[in-house]
mmCIF file of all heavy atoms in Angstrom:
data_model
loop_
_atom_site.group_PDB
_atom_site.id
_atom_site.type_symbol
_atom_site.label_atom_id
_atom_site.label_comp_id
_atom_site.label_asym_id
_atom_site.label_seq_id
_atom_site.Cartn_x
_atom_site.Cartn_y
_atom_site.Cartn_z
ATOM 1 N N SER A 1 -4.146 10.147 19.650
ATOM 2 C CA SER A 1 -5.521 10.136 20.090
ATOM 3 C C SER A 1 -6.356 8.908 19.446
ATOM 4 O O SER A 1 -7.519 9.188 18.938
ATOM 5 C CB SER A 1 -6.251 11.432 19.776
ATOM 6 O OG SER A 1 -5.478 12.501 20.377
ATOM 7 N N LEU A 2 -5.825 7.785 19.470
ATOM 8 C CA LEU A 2 -6.496 6.610 18.910
ATOM 9 C C LEU A 2 -7.800 6.281 19.509
ATOM 10 O O LEU A 2 -7.966 6.455 20.747
ATOM 11 C CB LEU A 2 -5.541 5.431 18.986
ATOM 12 C CG LEU A 2 -4.365 5.468 17.911
ATOM 13 C CD1 LEU A 2 -3.319 4.432 18.361
ATOM 14 C CD2 LEU A 2 -4.873 5.150 16.563
ATOM 15 N N LYS A 3 -8.708 5.907 18.635
ATOM 16 C CA LYS A 3 -9.966 5.538 19.100
ATOM 17 C C LYS A 3 -10.307 4.002 18.738
ATOM 18 O O LYS A 3 -9.613 3.456 17.852
ATOM 19 C CB LYS A 3 -11.015 6.335 18.392
ATOM 20 C CG LYS A 3 -10.909 7.821 18.531
ATOM 21 C CD LYS A 3 -11.938 8.586 17.699
ATOM 22 C CE LYS A 3 -11.770 10.047 17.841
ATOM 23 N NZ LYS A 3 -12.781 10.814 16.995
ATOM 24 N N PRO A 4 -11.219 3.385 19.521
ATOM 25 C CA PRO A 4 -11.629 2.018 19.115
ATOM 26 C C PRO A 4 -11.891 1.870 17.675
ATOM 27 O O PRO A 4 -11.627 0.737 17.031
ATOM 28 C CB PRO A 4 -12.712 1.580 20.012
ATOM 29 C CG PRO A 4 -12.459 2.507 21.315
ATOM 30 C CD PRO A 4 -11.918 3.759 20.648
ATOM 31 N N GLU A 5 -12.556 2.849 17.068
ATOM 32 C CA GLU A 5 -12.960 2.766 15.690
ATOM 33 C C GLU A 5 -11.808 2.760 14.732
ATOM 34 O O GLU A 5 -11.910 2.474 13.539
ATOM 35 C CB GLU A 5 -13.755 4.107 15.351
ATOM 36 C CG GLU A 5 -15.063 4.176 16.267
ATOM 37 C CD GLU A 5 -14.734 5.070 17.435
ATOM 38 O OE1 GLU A 5 -14.257 4.542 18.438
ATOM 39 O OE2 GLU A 5 -15.022 6.270 17.303
ATOM 40 N N ASP A 6 -10.501 3.025 15.216
ATOM 41 C CA ASP A 6 -9.284 2.966 14.391
ATOM 42 C C ASP A 6 -8.765 1.535 14.323
ATOM 43 O O ASP A 6 -7.850 1.256 13.536
ATOM 44 C CB ASP A 6 -8.268 3.876 14.967
ATOM 45 C CG ASP A 6 -8.645 5.298 15.003
ATOM 46 O OD1 ASP A 6 -9.203 5.764 13.968
ATOM 47 O OD2 ASP A 6 -8.392 6.002 16.009
ATOM 48 N N THR A 7 -9.360 0.596 15.038
ATOM 49 C CA THR A 7 -8.891 -0.776 15.023
ATOM 50 C C THR A 7 -9.031 -1.373 13.587
ATOM 51 O O THR A 7 -10.147 -1.297 13.015
ATOM 52 C CB THR A 7 -9.616 -1.592 16.015
ATOM 53 O OG1 THR A 7 -9.427 -1.228 17.302
ATOM 54 C CG2 THR A 7 -9.272 -3.081 15.849
ATOM 55 N N ALA A 8 -7.966 -1.804 13.055
ATOM 56 C CA ALA A 8 -7.918 -2.259 11.676
ATOM 57 C C ALA A 8 -6.581 -2.862 11.327
ATOM 58 O O ALA A 8 -5.565 -2.638 12.009
ATOM 59 C CB ALA A 8 -8.287 -1.137 10.660
ATOM 60 N N VAL A 9 -6.475 -3.505 10.206
ATOM 61 C CA VAL A 9 -5.200 -3.811 9.590
ATOM 62 C C VAL A 9 -4.856 -2.695 8.704
ATOM 63 O O VAL A 9 -5.630 -2.305 7.814
ATOM 64 C CB VAL A 9 -5.246 -5.124 8.786
ATOM 65 C CG1 VAL A 9 -3.869 -5.340 8.148
ATOM 66 C CG2 VAL A 9 -5.624 -6.370 9.731
ATOM 67 N N TYR A 10 -3.677 -2.146 8.887
ATOM 68 C CA TYR A 10 -3.234 -0.969 8.115
ATOM 69 C C TYR A 10 -2.235 -1.405 7.107
ATOM 70 O O TYR A 10 -1.245 -2.110 7.357
ATOM 71 C CB TYR A 10 -2.582 0.059 9.053
ATOM 72 C CG TYR A 10 -3.537 0.817 9.908
ATOM 73 C CD1 TYR A 10 -4.313 0.247 10.856
ATOM 74 C CD2 TYR A 10 -3.832 2.279 9.581
ATOM 75 C CE1 TYR A 10 -5.233 1.023 11.664
ATOM 76 C CE2 TYR A 10 -4.757 2.886 10.299
ATOM 77 C CZ TYR A 10 -5.427 2.255 11.382
ATOM 78 O OH TYR A 10 -6.340 3.052 12.074
ATOM 79 N N TYR A 11 -2.520 -1.003 5.870
ATOM 80 C CA TYR A 11 -1.767 -1.374 4.673
ATOM 81 C C TYR A 11 -1.093 -0.226 4.065
ATOM 82 O O TYR A 11 -1.606 0.950 3.926
ATOM 83 C CB TYR A 11 -2.650 -2.007 3.599
ATOM 84 C CG TYR A 11 -3.337 -3.308 4.022
ATOM 85 C CD1 TYR A 11 -4.587 -3.281 4.625
ATOM 86 C CD2 TYR A 11 -2.688 -4.531 3.833
ATOM 87 C CE1 TYR A 11 -5.192 -4.453 5.033
ATOM 88 C CE2 TYR A 11 -3.233 -5.645 4.227
ATOM 89 C CZ TYR A 11 -4.512 -5.685 4.775
ATOM 90 O OH TYR A 11 -5.245 -6.869 5.173
ATOM 91 N N CYS A 12 0.184 -0.374 3.709
ATOM 92 C CA CYS A 12 0.921 0.601 2.970
ATOM 93 C C CYS A 12 0.707 0.343 1.497
ATOM 94 O O CYS A 12 0.784 -0.777 1.010
ATOM 95 C CB CYS A 12 2.403 0.489 3.341
ATOM 96 S SG CYS A 12 3.484 1.666 2.467
ATOM 97 N N ASN A 13 0.664 1.416 0.796
ATOM 98 C CA ASN A 13 0.522 1.360 -0.702
ATOM 99 C C ASN A 13 1.462 2.367 -1.294
ATOM 100 O O ASN A 13 1.623 3.454 -0.876
ATOM 101 C CB ASN A 13 -0.957 1.796 -1.145
ATOM 102 C CG ASN A 13 -1.062 1.878 -2.623
ATOM 103 O OD1 ASN A 13 -0.928 3.008 -3.222
ATOM 104 N ND2 ASN A 13 -1.351 0.727 -3.316
ATOM 105 N N ALA A 14 2.147 1.890 -2.380
ATOM 106 C CA ALA A 14 3.126 2.688 -3.090
ATOM 107 C C ALA A 14 2.698 2.637 -4.564
ATOM 108 O O ALA A 14 2.568 1.623 -5.217
ATOM 109 C CB ALA A 14 4.516 2.223 -2.949
ATOM 110 N N GLY A 15 2.708 3.942 -5.190
ATOM 111 C CA GLY A 15 2.577 4.015 -6.576
ATOM 112 C C GLY A 15 4.057 4.015 -7.136
ATOM 113 O O GLY A 15 4.787 5.030 -6.887
ATOM 114 N N VAL A 16 4.326 3.011 -7.943
ATOM 115 C CA VAL A 16 5.685 2.745 -8.341
ATOM 116 C C VAL A 16 5.827 2.693 -9.844
ATOM 117 O O VAL A 16 5.019 2.072 -10.523
ATOM 118 C CB VAL A 16 6.243 1.415 -7.868
ATOM 119 C CG1 VAL A 16 7.649 1.129 -8.344
ATOM 120 C CG2 VAL A 16 6.241 1.404 -6.283
ATOM 121 N N LEU A 17 6.809 3.422 -10.371
ATOM 122 C CA LEU A 17 7.246 3.481 -11.744
ATOM 123 C C LEU A 17 8.418 2.497 -11.831
ATOM 124 O O LEU A 17 9.489 2.711 -11.433
ATOM 125 C CB LEU A 17 7.486 4.906 -12.332
ATOM 126 C CG LEU A 17 7.839 4.855 -13.833
ATOM 127 C CD1 LEU A 17 6.587 4.620 -14.575
ATOM 128 C CD2 LEU A 17 8.350 6.242 -14.118
ATOM 129 N N SER A 18 8.115 1.263 -12.488
ATOM 130 C CA SER A 18 9.045 0.240 -12.629
ATOM 131 C C SER A 18 9.829 0.319 -13.881
ATOM 132 O O SER A 18 9.177 0.088 -14.974
ATOM 133 C CB SER A 18 8.417 -1.115 -12.292
ATOM 134 O OG SER A 18 9.317 -2.145 -12.472
ATOM 135 N N ASP A 19 11.072 0.366 -13.846
ATOM 136 C CA ASP A 19 11.869 0.420 -14.987
ATOM 137 C C ASP A 19 12.376 -1.011 -15.486
ATOM 138 O O ASP A 19 13.088 -1.147 -16.369
ATOM 139 C CB ASP A 19 13.135 1.241 -14.784
ATOM 140 C CG ASP A 19 13.830 1.717 -16.045
ATOM 141 O OD1 ASP A 19 13.104 2.011 -17.029
ATOM 142 O OD2 ASP A 19 15.096 1.809 -16.131
ATOM 143 N N ALA A 20 11.740 -1.973 -14.706
ATOM 144 C CA ALA A 20 12.019 -3.350 -15.230
ATOM 145 C C ALA A 20 11.312 -3.700 -16.455
ATOM 146 O O ALA A 20 11.566 -4.728 -17.092
ATOM 147 C CB ALA A 20 11.595 -4.334 -14.089
ATOM 148 N N TYR A 21 10.413 -2.768 -16.868
ATOM 149 C CA TYR A 21 9.580 -3.022 -18.048
ATOM 150 C C TYR A 21 9.969 -2.051 -19.221
ATOM 151 O O TYR A 21 10.411 -0.929 -18.797
ATOM 152 C CB TYR A 21 8.055 -2.894 -17.804
ATOM 153 C CG TYR A 21 7.553 -3.856 -16.744
ATOM 154 C CD1 TYR A 21 7.518 -3.506 -15.409
ATOM 155 C CD2 TYR A 21 7.131 -5.081 -17.059
ATOM 156 C CE1 TYR A 21 7.160 -4.466 -14.380
ATOM 157 C CE2 TYR A 21 6.616 -5.958 -16.123
ATOM 158 C CZ TYR A 21 6.596 -5.602 -14.791
ATOM 159 O OH TYR A 21 6.168 -6.493 -13.870
ATOM 160 N N ALA A 22 9.686 -2.310 -20.363
ATOM 161 C CA ALA A 22 9.990 -1.402 -21.437
ATOM 162 C C ALA A 22 8.748 -1.312 -22.258
ATOM 163 O O ALA A 22 8.350 -2.210 -23.047
ATOM 164 C CB ALA A 22 10.998 -1.869 -22.332
ATOM 165 N N PRO A 23 8.020 -0.068 -22.292
ATOM 166 C CA PRO A 23 8.277 1.002 -21.477
ATOM 167 C C PRO A 23 8.068 0.792 -20.048
ATOM 168 O O PRO A 23 7.394 -0.112 -19.611
ATOM 169 C CB PRO A 23 7.471 2.132 -22.082
ATOM 170 C CG PRO A 23 6.235 1.346 -22.489
ATOM 171 C CD PRO A 23 6.856 -0.002 -23.094
ATOM 172 N N PRO A 24 8.509 1.691 -19.181
ATOM 173 C CA PRO A 24 8.239 1.531 -17.723
ATOM 174 C C PRO A 24 6.854 1.412 -17.430
ATOM 175 O O PRO A 24 5.977 1.978 -18.127
ATOM 176 C CB PRO A 24 8.993 2.711 -17.084
ATOM 177 C CG PRO A 24 9.925 3.155 -17.986
ATOM 178 C CD PRO A 24 9.394 2.845 -19.398
ATOM 179 N N ARG A 25 6.426 0.700 -16.416
ATOM 180 C CA ARG A 25 5.064 0.466 -16.058
ATOM 181 C C ARG A 25 4.715 1.067 -14.647
ATOM 182 O O ARG A 25 5.674 0.988 -13.767
ATOM 183 C CB ARG A 25 4.667 -0.979 -15.959
ATOM 184 C CG ARG A 25 4.757 -1.774 -17.319
ATOM 185 C CD ARG A 25 4.243 -3.084 -17.243
ATOM 186 N NE ARG A 25 4.311 -3.821 -18.358
ATOM 187 C CZ ARG A 25 3.962 -5.118 -18.519
ATOM 188 N NH1 ARG A 25 3.440 -5.850 -17.533
ATOM 189 N NH2 ARG A 25 4.039 -5.783 -19.721
ATOM 190 N N TYR A 26 3.637 1.710 -14.470
ATOM 191 C CA TYR A 26 3.189 2.132 -13.202
ATOM 192 C C TYR A 26 2.520 1.017 -12.530
ATOM 193 O O TYR A 26 1.471 0.453 -13.008
ATOM 194 C CB TYR A 26 2.231 3.356 -13.340
ATOM 195 C CG TYR A 26 1.865 4.060 -12.080
ATOM 196 C CD1 TYR A 26 2.755 4.839 -11.410
ATOM 197 C CD2 TYR A 26 0.609 3.791 -11.486
ATOM 198 C CE1 TYR A 26 2.456 5.478 -10.186
ATOM 199 C CE2 TYR A 26 0.261 4.310 -10.298
ATOM 200 C CZ TYR A 26 1.221 5.165 -9.655
ATOM 201 O OH TYR A 26 0.802 5.759 -8.496
ATOM 202 N N LEU A 27 2.898 0.687 -11.283
ATOM 203 C CA LEU A 27 2.338 -0.339 -10.542
ATOM 204 C C LEU A 27 1.861 0.125 -9.142
ATOM 205 O O LEU A 27 2.436 1.030 -8.555
ATOM 206 C CB LEU A 27 3.486 -1.433 -10.239
ATOM 207 C CG LEU A 27 4.190 -2.018 -11.419
ATOM 208 C CD1 LEU A 27 5.253 -2.925 -10.966
ATOM 209 C CD2 LEU A 27 3.247 -2.722 -12.375
ATOM 210 N N GLU A 28 0.835 -0.480 -8.644
ATOM 211 C CA GLU A 28 0.450 -0.304 -7.338
ATOM 212 C C GLU A 28 0.938 -1.508 -6.479
ATOM 213 O O GLU A 28 0.545 -2.596 -6.734
ATOM 214 C CB GLU A 28 -1.150 -0.202 -7.249
ATOM 215 C CG GLU A 28 -1.735 0.944 -8.009
ATOM 216 C CD GLU A 28 -1.571 2.246 -7.282
ATOM 217 O OE1 GLU A 28 -1.330 2.263 -5.980
ATOM 218 O OE2 GLU A 28 -1.654 3.397 -7.885
ATOM 219 N N VAL A 29 1.724 -1.170 -5.495
ATOM 220 C CA VAL A 29 2.342 -2.183 -4.596
ATOM 221 C C VAL A 29 1.812 -2.063 -3.215
ATOM 222 O O VAL A 29 1.769 -1.060 -2.548
ATOM 223 C CB VAL A 29 3.808 -1.999 -4.641
ATOM 224 C CG1 VAL A 29 4.528 -3.120 -3.811
ATOM 225 C CG2 VAL A 29 4.421 -1.939 -6.076
ATOM 226 N N TRP A 30 1.253 -3.212 -2.778
ATOM 227 C CA TRP A 30 0.660 -3.203 -1.424
ATOM 228 C C TRP A 30 1.623 -4.058 -0.464
ATOM 229 O O TRP A 30 2.207 -5.092 -0.848
ATOM 230 C CB TRP A 30 -0.660 -3.921 -1.474
ATOM 231 C CG TRP A 30 -1.687 -2.987 -2.177
ATOM 232 C CD1 TRP A 30 -1.931 -3.056 -3.470
ATOM 233 C CD2 TRP A 30 -2.594 -2.086 -1.580
ATOM 234 N NE1 TRP A 30 -2.942 -2.189 -3.781
ATOM 235 C CE2 TRP A 30 -3.316 -1.547 -2.571
ATOM 236 C CE3 TRP A 30 -2.783 -1.698 -0.193
ATOM 237 C CZ2 TRP A 30 -4.320 -0.561 -2.311
ATOM 238 C CZ3 TRP A 30 -3.750 -0.706 -0.008
ATOM 239 C CH2 TRP A 30 -4.566 -0.144 -1.043
ATOM 240 N N GLY A 31 1.611 -3.696 0.751
ATOM 241 C CA GLY A 31 2.209 -4.383 1.877
ATOM 242 C C GLY A 31 1.246 -5.551 2.354
ATOM 243 O O GLY A 31 0.145 -5.685 1.988
ATOM 244 N N GLN A 32 1.820 -6.226 3.316
ATOM 245 C CA GLN A 32 1.135 -7.362 3.962
ATOM 246 C C GLN A 32 0.150 -6.918 5.060
ATOM 247 O O GLN A 32 -0.619 -7.647 5.540
ATOM 248 C CB GLN A 32 2.031 -8.370 4.415
ATOM 249 C CG GLN A 32 2.691 -8.100 5.861
ATOM 250 C CD GLN A 32 3.647 -6.935 5.882
ATOM 251 O OE1 GLN A 32 4.178 -6.536 4.896
ATOM 252 N NE2 GLN A 32 4.035 -6.552 7.119
ATOM 253 N N GLY A 33 0.336 -5.712 5.530
ATOM 254 C CA GLY A 33 -0.412 -5.067 6.581
ATOM 255 C C GLY A 33 0.139 -5.283 7.948
ATOM 256 O O GLY A 33 0.910 -6.140 8.216
ATOM 257 N N THR A 34 -0.178 -4.342 8.815
ATOM 258 C CA THR A 34 0.130 -4.393 10.215
ATOM 259 C C THR A 34 -1.141 -4.057 11.036
ATOM 260 O O THR A 34 -1.825 -3.159 10.823
ATOM 261 C CB THR A 34 1.258 -3.373 10.555
ATOM 262 O OG1 THR A 34 1.780 -3.684 11.939
ATOM 263 C CG2 THR A 34 0.851 -2.026 10.330
ATOM 264 N N LEU A 35 -1.335 -4.960 12.136
ATOM 265 C CA LEU A 35 -2.586 -4.856 12.854
ATOM 266 C C LEU A 35 -2.452 -3.744 13.919
ATOM 267 O O LEU A 35 -1.466 -3.855 14.773
ATOM 268 C CB LEU A 35 -2.839 -6.160 13.435
ATOM 269 C CG LEU A 35 -4.155 -6.250 14.444
ATOM 270 C CD1 LEU A 35 -5.373 -5.918 13.572
ATOM 271 C CD2 LEU A 35 -4.230 -7.607 14.992
ATOM 272 N N VAL A 36 -3.492 -2.848 14.024
ATOM 273 C CA VAL A 36 -3.595 -1.940 15.039
ATOM 274 C C VAL A 36 -4.856 -2.191 15.825
ATOM 275 O O VAL A 36 -5.943 -2.256 15.249
ATOM 276 C CB VAL A 36 -3.600 -0.433 14.571
ATOM 277 C CG1 VAL A 36 -3.959 0.463 15.577
ATOM 278 C CG2 VAL A 36 -2.319 -0.073 13.787
#
């Protein structure tokens, strides 16, 4: 039921615990976006 008001670039976000660090770090990772 999409509306014109939904028009936007949609971004994915992931809260990631990265074990590449010592101690592990919590990172916010963003995608490049997809246009709707």
Side-chain angles (χ1 to χ4, degrees):
S1 302
L2 284 162
K3 304 175 181 179
E5 304 92 275
D6 296 317
T7 296
V9 177
Y10 284 71
Y11 296 92
C12 180
N13 174 266
V16 175
L17 187 65
S18 175
D19 199 37
Y21 302 89
R25 294 185 185 180
Y26 185 79
L27 306 175
E28 296 286 339
V29 182
W30 292 89
Q32 83 289 348
T34 185
L35 177 63
V36 173

